[in-house]
Amino acid sequence: MCGIIGIIGKAGVAPLLLEGLKRLEYRGYDSAGIATLVDSRIERRRAEGRIVNLAARIEKEPIAGQTGIGHTRWATHGIPNEINAHPHASSKVAVVHNGIIENFQALRKELEGFGIHFETDTDTEVIVHLITHYLDEGLTPEAATAKTLHRLEGAFALGVIFANESSLMIGARRGSPLAIGYGDGEMYLGSDALALAPLTSKITYLEEGDWAVLTPTGVTIHDETDAVIERKIEKSAASGALEGKGNYPHFMLKEIFEQPAVIGDTLHALLNPVTRTIVLPDLPFDLAGISRATIIACGTSFYAALVAKYWLEAVAGLAVDVDIASEFRYRNAGMPKGGLAIFISQSGETADTLAALRYAKKQGQHTLALVNVAESSLAREAEASLLTYAGPEIGVASTKAFTTQLTVLACLTIALARARGAIDHADEARLSAALTEVPSRAVEVLNHDERLKGLADDIAGVRDVLYLGRGTSYPIALEGALKLKEISYIHAEGYAAGEMKHGPIALIDEGMPIIVIAPSDPLFEKTASNVQEVIARGGRVIFLSDRTGAERLGRVAAATIELPEVDPFVTPILYAIPVQLLAYHIAVLKGTNVDQPRNLAKSVTVE
Ligand code: M6R
């Protein structure tokens, strides 16, 4: 994971590097550092923990230099301390790295054989010593770097600066994204266009295997065979403004409360409320000709995929496979011709999802990316893309990205169903109308915030929590459990309600809260029976339903939250909100770092 930035500037670059790192902090926050050239010598400042620690360090010990690189780390090899913080450096070269060098043990052994001493436990340090070794052999910085790149196995985006070369910086990309930015007599490197947004909107995205030689006035790009190659300059739409928390204590809470608006924005792009029809952008393939869909994603985005499976099968009559990207990519899955492979990702940079996309392309699938970042690798590499209009999601726990993904998937379901003749205009109008109601219904759901906060009090002290649901509520149970785990560090599991009696019911006792997601849909009675089974065994049930559901269950649950009565088609979008709020309030009570939970990063760019 990790975020990298590099600047060949006209004045001191330390403040700009720090600003860029703040914008990249979503990629990791275990440690951070910068290196600059001061009087042609490499100088470094590094600090354990978040960028604020690095900023404090630099305030105490300022660092000059007009050329520099910076890094924010999500540790892979070596604990997150200052020694292992990037940039890593010798007296001749400093390197920042995002990715994993898989053959670092062999390279380290080889270099130690030359008497080279290693200071860190990182895989990255081999890159520093290899380049230095080739420089010592008399190669130019460009040739030494190129030779090093050919020796590396694994995934990387790199930024490299050299002592005595204040007008030179090298960037390289294999497996991890890297963008080049063009300024006026300045040049930049960044993990994404967002990092560079305050500096420039003129961007070139490096392709797989590319490496680039930057000087103050331009860039020469080489492909994986070292041949010089042209890559297009694009205009980035990434905003230079840093997202703020407004009056909210955490980004996560702000993002939860933004959902009515961003779901509305997403619908606005895909649904005509007057004709009550779905209007997708032009796609380079015919939806009517799609014989099968495979939906691939990770984490919360995977749970959105799971909801879509239920929708597409039931509404569009389309056979759907869903897969976790990290499993799919190594499964050698057969993908029949005429299939559509859909990739869901907030960031559009998740390494496993990207690898799965490349596999599906080789299998001759049509590919569709569903992303929140329009310029992301996934959007650029897929045949077509659909955008969620969630806006920047800063909290590591995904909230508004999830509900806007569901919103796009609901629209896609209707469009596919119409194209396949599975629904008529009246059906389309009914489903579209249900969707147009979601933003205002979401506001009603948010009105339960205080009540959910009260319930959080009873849950914050427990060790385990179970979430149950059936049909499209099952993925919401999984999502609720994931939210709770990642921000409160309480063990939680999501289960299909009908699976309880096949094992997990043994866990039930008075100490374990069971959150049941049960809108009054066609599966309600089944879930209600499962609830009775749990209660009969002393389980403490928190029941998320609507008035009809609450009445049908009777007064047996320890607590009931009555959500709005809506068409069952849209319940997963709305029922995601209370499980987000519950997790949020529990985490606040536990005093965890809600927006940047331990061990996590927003964007997972390593496999
Ligand atoms: O950017 P992506 O949607 O591809 O990210 C996938 C997962 O890493 C992400 O959803 C993760 O599970 C979230 N932290 C969950 O809240």
Side-chain angles (χ1 to χ4, degrees):
M1 268 114 65
C2 310
I4 67 180
I5 180 152
I7 303 175
I8 304 183
K10 291 191 230 165
V13 287
L16 298 177
L17 290 173
L18 270 177
E19 160 80 9
L21 290 180
K22 278 186 203 143
R23 303 167 74 83
L24 288 168
E25 204 170 14
Y26 74 91
R27 290 173 163 265
Y29 36 79
D30 289 339
S31 64
I34 65 173
T36 62
L37 290 176
V38 180
D39 298 331
S40 297
R41 273 181 301 104
I42 292 167
E43 280 253 358
R44 284 188 290 171
R45 300 287 181 275
R46 297 177 295 164
E48 193 176 321
R50 302 186 156 75
I51 311 290
V52 285
N53 300 354
L54 176 66
R57 179 76 196 278
I58 291 174
E59 201 170 320
K60 265 200 228 140
E61 261 185 274
I63 178 168
Q66 300 184 9
T67 293
I69 49 180
H71 187 270
T72 181
R73 177 168 190 241
W74 185 82
T76 59
H77 297 66
I79 59 166
N81 58 14
E82 187 176 327
I83 296 277
N84 289 329
H86 298 220
H88 294 294
S90 66
S91 61
K92 297 191 172 171
V93 60
V95 173
V96 284
H97 168 215
N98 167 28
I100 292 176
I101 305 303
E102 285 169 358
N103 60 338
F104 85 99
Q105 299 277 25
L107 292 172
R108 182 166 173 150
K109 216 165 156 203
E110 177 185 326
L111 289 158
E112 282 172 338
F114 299 138
I116 291 168
H117 170 69
F118 278 73
E119 283 174 357
T120 76
D121 304 318
T122 66
D123 51 338
T124 306
E125 197 180 350
V126 295
I127 305 173
V128 172
H129 294 305
L130 255 186
I131 297 177
T132 307
H133 175 69
Y134 292 134
L135 288 170
D136 288 343
E137 282 185 348
L139 295 189
T140 61
E142 292 87 338
T145 307
K147 194 160 174 185
T148 298
L149 294 177
H150 288 297
R151 307 265 338 258
L152 302 179
E153 287 167 20
F156 52 79
L158 299 177
V160 191
I161 55 171
F162 303 85
N164 302 313
E165 299 280 354
S166 58
S167 301
L168 178 68
M169 180 180 303
I170 296 184
R173 175 210 162 136
R174 193 194 301 160
S176 303
L178 191 64
I180 308 285
Y182 301 79
D184 180 13
E186 301 193 333
M187 289 295 291
Y188 320 108
L189 273 180
S191 290
D192 60 25
L194 191 68
L196 303 181
L199 302 168
T200 184
S201 59
K202 277 173 73 184
I203 299 286
T204 292
Y205 294 98
L206 293 185
E207 307 259 322
E208 273 302 278
D210 283 357
W211 59 281
V213 180
L214 285 76
T215 66
T217 50
V219 60
T220 308
I221 301 177
H222 301 258
D223 68 11
E224 60 194 347
T225 68
D226 299 336
V228 172
I229 187 140
E230 288 292 317
R231 299 283 182 218
K232 148 166 123 221
I233 301 178
E234 299 177 33
K235 182 134 181 64
S236 162
S239 159
L242 257 187
E243 206 50 33
K245 285 198 280 245
N247 292 324
Y248 291 90
H250 297 101
F251 279 107
M252 183 179 176
L253 191 62
K254 172 175 173 260
E255 288 159 4
I256 291 173
F257 272 82
E258 281 172 354
Q259 289 177 109
V262 295
I263 292 169
D265 292 344
T266 304
L267 284 174
H268 188 68
L270 301 173
L271 188 151
N272 182 331
V274 179
T275 56
R276 295 185 172 186
T277 53
I278 299 301
V279 190
L280 294 186
D282 283 342
L283 296 173
F285 41 81
D286 180 12
L287 287 181
I290 301 299
S291 56
R292 184 173 197 93
T294 310
I295 318 180
I296 297 157
C298 299
T300 288
S301 298
F302 172 71
Y303 297 143
L306 215 46
V307 172
K309 175 179 169 71
Y310 286 90
W311 277 339
L312 285 164
E313 288 177 349
V315 182
L318 183 66
V320 179
D321 293 314
V322 289
D323 228 314
I324 294 170
S326 56
E327 288 298 315
F328 174 82
R329 63 181 291 190
Y330 295 116
R331 219 157 45 76
N332 294 326
M335 303 187 88
K337 290 267 171 285
L340 171 65
I342 304 171
F343 302 85
I344 308 175
S345 173
Q346 186 284 130
S347 61
E349 300 295 350
T350 301
D352 285 319
T353 311
L354 259 170
L357 165 75
R358 291 171 189 152
Y359 175 85
K361 279 169 99 171
K362 283 198 196 125
Q363 299 291 307
Q365 301 294 290
H366 291 303
T367 56
L368 177 65
L370 206 160
V371 292
N372 193 38
V373 181
E375 294 163 18
S376 58
S377 304
L378 211 59
R380 283 182 290 111
E381 292 191 30
E383 215 178 328
S385 52
L386 292 174
L387 278 184
T388 50
Y389 289 86
E393 191 180 64
I394 310 295
V396 164
S398 187
T399 53
K400 60 177 182 168
F402 179 61
T403 47
T404 52
Q405 285 167 351
L406 291 179
T407 304
V408 174
L409 289 163
C411 294
L412 181 64
T413 299
I414 298 172
L416 263 158
R418 181 183 62 207
R420 294 166 58 78
I423 57 172
D424 60 17
H425 181 65
D427 295 325
E428 178 168 5
R430 176 182 57 80
L431 295 171
S432 301
L435 278 172
T436 52
E437 269 194 34
V438 170
S440 57
R441 296 290 179 231
V443 174
E444 290 172 35
V445 176
L446 288 168
N447 288 338
H448 290 281
D449 184 40
E450 273 305 312
R451 181 79 204 294
L452 289 158
K453 195 172 172 183
L455 290 177
D457 251 341
D458 297 338
I459 304 177
V462 307
R463 207 187 53 187
D464 311 287
V465 180
L466 214 55
Y467 289 74
L468 300 180
R470 272 180 188 261
T472 53
S473 298
Y474 165 48
I476 304 307
L478 294 169
E479 171 62 1
L482 175 62
K483 284 292 86 89
L484 190 68
K485 277 184 274 208
E486 71 177 334
I487 60 170
S488 77
Y489 317 148
I490 294 176
H491 168 244
E493 284 194 55
Y495 249 92
E499 267 293 290
M500 278 295 287
K501 54 178 104 43
H502 298 287
I505 202 160
L507 293 169
I508 303 292
D509 61 22
E510 312 74 49
M512 185 194 275
I514 299 118
I515 322 278
V516 181
I517 296 134
S520 52
D521 61 14
L523 296 175
F524 179 84
E525 295 304 339
K526 310 270 175 213
T527 311
S529 301
N530 301 136
V531 170
Q532 299 290 2
E533 290 155 12
V534 165
I535 289 172
R537 284 157 183 85
R540 189 154 52 105
V541 168
I542 294 163
F543 196 60
L544 305 183
S545 187
D546 45 36
R547 174 148 309 161
T548 310
E551 279 166 10
R552 276 158 80 183
L553 185 74
R555 305 206 161 276
V556 291
T560 301
I561 301 278
E562 276 183 28
L563 299 168
E565 307 252 4
V566 289
D567 188 311
F569 181 57
V570 299
T571 54
I573 312 179
L574 292 168
Y575 280 64
I577 299 173
V579 298
Q580 297 165 351
L581 283 169
L582 204 53
Y584 171 78
H585 290 302
I586 293 169
V588 170
L589 285 170
K590 294 203 73 182
T592 59
N593 187 338
V594 172
D595 286 332
Q596 294 180 321
R598 70 183 181 203
N599 304 337
L600 293 177
K602 182 76 185 155
S603 176
V604 183
T605 56
V606 292
E607 64 170 301

